[in-house]
């Protein structure tokens, strides 16, 4: 019994490290050169702030309209199941397809 408990306790830190590096889906409300949008990303939880800061000035492509646009400002980035704090963000999120 002691051996089983010892083995389980030895592997517990490895399980928690794996969860910290798991990727999660995020949605970001951004202001672009053409309009406000909600854009979806798949990031690790530890890198969200860094990735969010790098979005400003990034060139993206709208494949439906076949047009390029620049991200002027990142208003808010949240996990996929969360709701935006602004009414404009919630409105755009409701219209955006997943």
């Amino acid at each position: 019994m002691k051996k089983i408990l010892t083995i389980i306790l030895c592997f517990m830190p490895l399980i928690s490290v794996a969860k910290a590096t798991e990727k999660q889906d995020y949605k970001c409300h951004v202001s672009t050169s053409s309009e406000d949008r909600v854009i979806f990303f798949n990031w690790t939880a530890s890198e969200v702030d860094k990735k969010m800061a790098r979005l400003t000035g990034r060139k993206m492509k709208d494949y439906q309209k076949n047009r390029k646009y620049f991200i002027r400002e990142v208003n808010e980035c949240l996990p996929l199941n969360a709701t935006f704090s602004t009414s404009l963000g919630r409105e755009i999120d409701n219209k955006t397809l997943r």
Side-chain angles (χ1 to χ4, degrees), residues 29-78:
H29 174 218
V30 297
S31 301
T32 67
S33 52
S34 59
E35 61 190 358
D36 280 16
R37 299 172 179 250
V38 172
I39 304 174
F40 301 96
F41 297 99
N42 189 352
W43 295 330
T44 58
S46 61
E47 296 181 334
V48 171
D49 294 331
K50 194 184 325 179
K51 299 270 188 174
M52 192 171 99
R54 290 184 184 172
L55 285 178
T56 303
R58 186 173 173 189
K59 185 176 13 175
M60 304 287 285
K61 185 170 183 176
D62 185 347
Y63 290 100
Q64 292 176 342
K65 298 178 182 176
N66 200 20
R67 295 176 61 179
K68 295 178 183 175
Y69 60 89
F70 287 93
I71 296 176
R72 289 186 180 168
E73 181 183 2
V74 179
N75 300 320
E76 192 174 9
C77 284
L78 301 170

